[in-house]
């Protein structure tokens, strides 16, 4: 229903279901649709407000499909994350060797 010329400003991946962010945003929009479509009067207009927010993010040049083309899926780049040290979550004082880590 929502057609855009792809490339440049607008990106799409035929394997959209391989993108966790896309799944999350599309699921959110679907749940909103199911709720707001039954709201008399302004329900659909409210839904379009949410769609108009998410669509440029989904299809944007830096959105979840930015590495893909319409015909080729490329795995999204995963940001590196280092697990927190085990003492981080205890709420206790950090070991002495953690002083440099904490900026002490």
């Amino acid at each position: 229903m929502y057609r855009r010329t792809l490339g440049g400003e607008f990106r799409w991946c035929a394997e959209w279901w391989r993108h966790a962010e896309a799944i999350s945003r599309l699921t959110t929009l679907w749940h909103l649709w199911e709720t707001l479509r039954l709201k008399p009067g302004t329900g659909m207009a409210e839904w379009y407000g949410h769609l108009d927010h998410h669509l440029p993010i989904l299809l944007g040049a830096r959105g979840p499909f930015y590495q893909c083309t319409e015909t080729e899926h490329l795995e999204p780049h995963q940001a590196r994350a280092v697990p927190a040290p085990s003492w981080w979550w205890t709420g206790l004082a950090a070991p002495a060797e953690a002083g440099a880590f904490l900026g002490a």
Side-chain angles (χ1 to χ4, degrees):
M1 181 171 162
Y2 303 100
R3 295 176 187 242
R4 304 288 186 271
T5 301
L6 299 174
E9 182 182 355
F10 299 110
R11 306 292 177 135
W12 180 251
C13 180
E15 297 180 43
W16 58 269
W17 41 269
R18 295 179 120 193
H19 298 266
E21 179 184 354
I23 292 168
S24 177
R25 289 180 182 277
L26 292 169
T27 300
T28 297
L29 286 167
W30 171 58
H31 283 273
L32 281 164
W33 167 270
E34 290 300 329
T35 300
L36 293 174
R37 72 184 175 90
L38 300 174
K39 184 177 178 182
T42 61
M44 290 305 299
E46 288 179 46
W47 184 79
Y48 273 104
H50 293 283
L51 176 69
D52 289 346
H53 170 78
H54 288 281
L55 211 54
I57 295 169
L58 278 170
L59 302 180
R62 297 300 293 168
F65 308 130
Y66 82 98
Q67 293 178 315
C68 300
T69 67
E70 188 178 6
T71 58
E72 180 183 17
H73 167 77
L74 295 173
E75 256 331 283
H77 171 75
Q78 298 295 318
R80 182 176 171 264
V82 176
S86 60
W87 53 263
W88 185 262
W89 307 108
T90 65
L92 302 174
E97 65 271 12
F101 174 78
L102 295 173

